[in-house]
Amino acid sequence: MKNVNYKNLIPFFLIVLSLVFGGIIVVTTFNTFKTQLTICLLFGIFIAGLITYFVAEKINQSESYIAQFKDEFSELAVSNERFEIVSKATSDTIWDWDITTNSFIWNKGIQDVFGYNKEEVGDNLQWWFDKIHPEDSLKMSVKLYSYIAQKSEKWQDEYRFMAADGTYRFVFDRGFLVKDEKDNVIRMIGAVQDVTKSKTEEQRLQLLGTVITQNRETVIIAELANADYPEDRIVYVNPAFETMTGYSQEEVIGKPANILINRLKSKRDIKLISDALKKKEAFKMETLNKRKNNEEYWVNLTFIPITNKDNQNTHWISIQRDITEEKGKEKEREQLIKELTLNNADLKQFSYITSHNLRAPLSNLRGLLALLEDIEIKDEELKEIINGFERSTQQLNETINDLVNVIIIKDKPSIEREPIVVREVFENVFNQLGFLINNLNPIIKLDIDKVPTLQVNKSYFESILLNLTTNALRYHEPSRQLNISFTAKNKGNTIYLYFKDNGLGIDLKRHKDKIFGLYQRFHDNPDSKGLGLYLVKSQVESMGGTITVDSEVGIGTTFTITFKNE
């Protein structure tokens, strides 16, 4: 026997020795019934000693087993404690699947990481599979059971697992098989790790990489000079770089960044870039560069410093765009503007000269016509000719005056303004148009009580009202009485002026883009010069206002003028 406690056998051996010697003495001395009974008694005591011995031995073995069990239990407790510490340190969710009974056990990670209450966690394989995203479930189960069937050393997979809040997390799962002595798979133990953050970041980086790769603009990434590299070193260029510069990626990656910067045509720009990079400052500029074949091209450069988590500059990114074509168009545009400015100045000078040169003969003609008024002309035909000549002279004078006004407005885009009384300006306009007003007898309505005064140029405003009222009188609808209304409203910081009539109207579908054009006529009226609305718009805009028109043929026209309320 093993592990025998010999101290427990000492009383037993003493009793046995005493009985043996006592029995010998009795047998040799007495040969009677009592003697035999004594021998039987001694034998019984011997048997009892043997039983006592075996009982003591079993007790001794039990104490040994209990001590061994305590040691093993203590080791198991330490092992479990280490297991819990490791699972917490790795933020993994541990699971244990008993394949023979289909029971499933999760550690506390299922609560801490995925937010499930203890009561919500299932104890079978189906609960686990129900929480896997439907698009991943079939693929994952096929790989898992294939792994079990092949008895592979380890299994791992990525899939989406539902958290308690209903959202899916990206997880990385890996498992290990436990086999019995007959090499049958009986259990599987695994660890689930939440990799949502890294997966999201990976997807974001893939998208950024796609954007950079597919971008038509050149992207250059360089590492700043450090202990290993004395100069800034190019670590990445996208495919657009090859198209723009003519250099391949292999020719520049790993090379000093100066290989590109020093190709700039302007030494001053090279210094500006170098200084900005030393200061680790972002900057933007346009400069002239050279391709690999020394062809010059204009480029828009942007440099952005990149810092690490310790806020230390480690890299810079340069985004570059070829603007050669834009520069060419810009140069053409500048040349065109220069030519237009020169032409405009020539036209302005021509207008001044023309209007000045026509003034003298026109004044002479008007003077001669005035003298003819004192002469009685009996020839009716001659009288009609003189009247036609007088009307033409008057129209020519008005046209020259309008042209002069247009030139003055265009030459002075902003003009001084003053407070005016709106009603007084209207009275002046009505006085000037008294003859036409008396002939047509229109209904004129003024609603200007809410805006009795305006901050405008008085002569311009009077000219605007004179032109709009004249047009309303000239282009009235003969079949109905003419109605003219002028309404002024103040809305917020804007004043709205509405001039409305029920005249012939304008076909906006045909003439919308020409309404305020120069020499535009929309009706066959012999007195029309096509300058009125052009002059109105020029005067409104010179005072900082806007004008729009809404018109319908046969219904009438509404002009809306706005000024900022200052």
Side-chain angles (χ1 to χ4, degrees):
M1 293 182 182
K2 298 178 181 180
N3 300 323
V4 177
N5 190 347
Y6 291 101
K7 292 181 179 179
N8 294 332
L9 299 180
I10 293 174
F12 171 75
F13 282 118
L14 291 175
I15 292 173
V16 170
L17 289 174
S18 298
L19 289 173
V20 170
F21 282 111
I24 294 172
I25 294 170
V26 171
V27 170
T28 54
T29 307
F30 303 101
N31 190 14
T32 63
F33 174 77
K34 291 181 178 180
T35 302
Q36 292 176 353
L37 181 62
T38 301
I39 292 171
C40 289
L41 182 62
L42 291 173
F43 183 75
I45 293 171
F46 175 75
I47 295 301
L50 288 175
I51 293 172
T52 302
Y53 165 75
F54 283 113
V55 170
E57 179 62 18
K58 290 297 182 182
I59 291 172
N60 182 35
Q61 289 181 358
S62 297
E63 289 178 351
S64 176
Y65 290 152
I66 290 171
Q68 183 179 355
F69 176 76
K70 286 182 178 180
D71 292 341
E72 291 177 354
F73 183 80
S74 176
E75 290 179 3
L76 181 62
V78 171
S79 176
N80 284 337
E81 183 180 1
R82 289 173 181 168
F83 171 77
E84 289 296 330
I85 292 172
V86 170
S87 64
K88 288 179 180 179
T90 59
S91 300
D92 286 355
T93 300
I94 311 300
W95 51 267
D96 186 344
W97 175 27
D98 188 329
I99 297 176
T100 58
T101 63
N102 199 34
S103 61
F104 217 89
I105 300 173
W106 299 86
N107 78 332
K108 283 191 65 179
I110 196 68
Q111 303 171 42
D112 299 338
V113 178
F114 296 99
Y116 287 102
N117 295 326
K118 188 175 182 181
E119 297 76 17
E120 296 177 311
V121 180
D123 59 356
N124 55 62
L125 182 68
Q126 190 59 44
W127 186 86
W128 178 31
F129 271 74
D130 288 343
K131 297 297 179 285
I132 298 173
H133 194 284
E135 295 178 3
D136 301 336
S137 179
L138 180 61
K139 177 198 67 163
M140 195 279 283
S141 62
V142 169
K143 291 177 67 175
L144 177 65
Y145 282 108
S146 174
Y147 158 75
I148 295 173
Q150 295 173 8
K151 299 180 183 180
S152 305
E153 291 185 2
K154 62 179 180 178
W155 162 84
Q156 64 183 38
D157 199 2
E158 283 188 4
Y159 56 87
R160 285 164 288 181
F161 187 79
M162 182 189 292
D165 60 4
T167 62
Y168 283 96
R169 311 272 188 88
F170 286 97
V171 299
F172 176 69
D173 201 347
R174 55 202 180 281
F176 301 88
L177 295 178
V178 178
K179 305 174 186 176
D180 60 12
E181 62 276 4
K182 296 181 180 179
D183 200 37
N184 295 320
V185 178
I186 57 174
R187 288 173 63 199
M188 185 175 181
I189 299 173
V192 179
Q193 185 178 8
D194 185 352
V195 294
T196 304
K197 187 175 181 180
S198 60
K199 195 74 175 178
T200 304
E201 183 66 17
E202 178 185 337
Q203 291 176 345
R204 189 180 72 87
L205 290 175
Q206 287 178 349
L207 288 174
L208 287 176
T210 302
V211 170
I212 293 173
T213 303
Q214 301 299 323
N215 201 327
R216 293 183 179 181
E217 295 184 347
T218 294
V219 178
I220 303 170
I221 303 177
E223 183 181 8
L224 291 179
N226 51 49
D228 297 326
Y229 300 98
E231 296 181 80
D232 293 358
R233 184 172 61 101
I234 299 172
V235 296
Y236 175 82
V237 293
N238 69 339
F241 170 86
E242 298 183 354
T243 304
M244 187 176 77
T245 66
Y247 286 97
S248 67
Q249 294 178 334
E250 293 76 13
E251 288 179 294
V252 296
I253 291 179
K255 302 295 192 305
N258 287 337
I259 190 176
L260 301 178
I261 296 175
N262 290 337
R263 292 188 66 80
L264 300 181
K265 187 172 182 180
S266 171
K267 301 300 180 183
R268 176 178 170 274
D269 290 346
I270 294 175
K271 188 175 187 310
L272 286 174
I273 293 175
S274 299
D275 292 344
L277 291 177
K278 288 178 183 177
K279 295 177 183 178
K280 300 177 176 60
E281 296 175 346
F283 70 96
K284 185 176 181 179
M285 68 183 302
E286 292 181 358
T287 186
L288 197 59
N289 204 349
K290 288 188 294 185
R291 308 186 203 276
K292 183 181 178 181
N293 61 3
N294 288 325
E295 176 189 353
E296 292 183 350
Y297 68 100
W298 280 96
V299 61
N300 182 295
L301 302 174
T302 301
F303 283 84
I304 306 168
I306 304 299
T307 58
N308 59 16
K309 62 180 181 179
D310 298 323
N311 203 31
Q312 296 175 335
N313 289 313
T314 59
H315 297 76
W316 53 258
I317 294 178
S318 178
I319 301 173
Q320 305 184 6
R321 183 165 57 91
D322 188 339
I323 58 172
T324 307
E325 185 176 350
E326 295 176 20
K327 278 290 185 180
K329 291 181 179 179
E330 182 180 330
K331 190 174 181 180
E332 291 176 2
R333 187 165 54 250
E334 289 175 355
Q335 182 63 29
L336 180 60
I337 291 172
K338 185 178 179 180
E339 291 175 0
L340 287 174
T341 303
L342 183 61
N343 291 338
N344 188 47
D346 291 341
L347 287 172
K348 191 183 298 182
Q349 185 67 20
F350 174 77
S351 299
Y352 276 124
I353 294 171
T354 302
S355 61
H356 181 270
N357 291 342
L358 287 175
R359 285 286 186 186
L362 185 59
S363 297
N364 293 333
L365 286 173
R366 295 184 66 187
L368 290 173
L369 289 171
L371 292 175
L372 289 174
E373 291 178 359
D374 298 331
I375 301 174
E376 184 181 356
I377 301 175
K378 295 181 180 180
D379 189 337
E380 293 297 327
E381 186 176 353
L382 179 59
K383 186 185 293 187
E384 185 178 348
I385 293 172
I386 292 173
N387 288 335
F389 187 68
E390 185 176 359
R391 286 195 302 271
S392 298
T393 304
Q394 180 62 28
Q395 287 181 353
L396 179 59
N397 185 62
E398 292 176 358
T399 301
I400 290 174
N401 287 336
D402 288 342
L403 284 173
V404 171
N405 288 332
V406 169
I407 293 170
I408 292 172
I409 292 170
K410 295 301 181 182
D411 197 35
K412 189 185 292 185
S414 62
I415 194 166
E416 293 182 1
R417 288 176 282 178
E418 58 183 321
I420 64 158
V421 178
V422 178
R423 190 174 294 276
E424 291 180 357
V425 176
F426 265 105
E427 289 175 357
N428 292 335
V429 170
F430 294 155
N431 289 333
Q432 295 178 56
L433 299 175
F435 179 76
L436 284 173
I437 291 174
N438 291 333
N439 284 342
L440 296 174
N441 195 25
I443 298 174
I444 300 176
K445 180 181 178 182
L446 298 181
D447 183 7
I448 57 177
D449 293 338
K450 294 180 180 179
V451 187
T453 61
L454 283 174
Q455 188 78 14
V456 294
N457 182 275
K458 185 176 181 179
S459 60
Y460 278 15
F461 188 66
E462 184 175 316
S463 175
I464 291 168
L465 294 181
L466 184 63
N467 271 296
L468 294 179
T469 306
T470 301
N471 284 345
L473 293 169
R474 282 179 178 171
Y475 306 115
H476 68 279
E477 172 57 58
S479 63
R480 59 172 176 261
Q481 186 175 21
L482 176 61
N483 288 312
I484 299 174
S485 67
F486 183 84
T487 306
K489 293 183 179 180
N490 195 342
K491 298 179 182 179
N493 64 342
T494 304
I495 294 174
Y496 291 85
L497 308 177
Y498 303 97
F499 190 96
K500 184 177 181 181
D501 68 61
N502 64 339
L504 296 174
I506 304 171
D507 187 351
L508 293 183
K509 291 183 178 179
R510 291 178 57 192
H511 306 298
K512 185 176 182 180
D513 297 331
K514 306 175 184 177
I515 293 293
F516 300 105
L518 192 60
Y519 300 119
Q520 296 297 325
R521 299 172 62 182
F522 312 109
H523 301 287
D524 294 329
N525 189 302
D527 295 331
S528 177
K529 303 184 294 294
L531 282 170
L533 292 181
Y534 178 81
L535 185 61
V536 167
K537 186 174 187 296
S538 299
Q539 290 170 330
V540 169
E541 291 180 347
S542 70
M543 293 186 290
T546 63
I547 182 170
T548 57
V549 61
D550 184 21
S551 186
E552 188 174 348
V553 175
I555 302 297
T557 304
T558 300
F559 290 94
T560 302
I561 301 172
T562 64
F563 291 110
K564 290 297 180 182
N565 190 3
E566 298 180 355

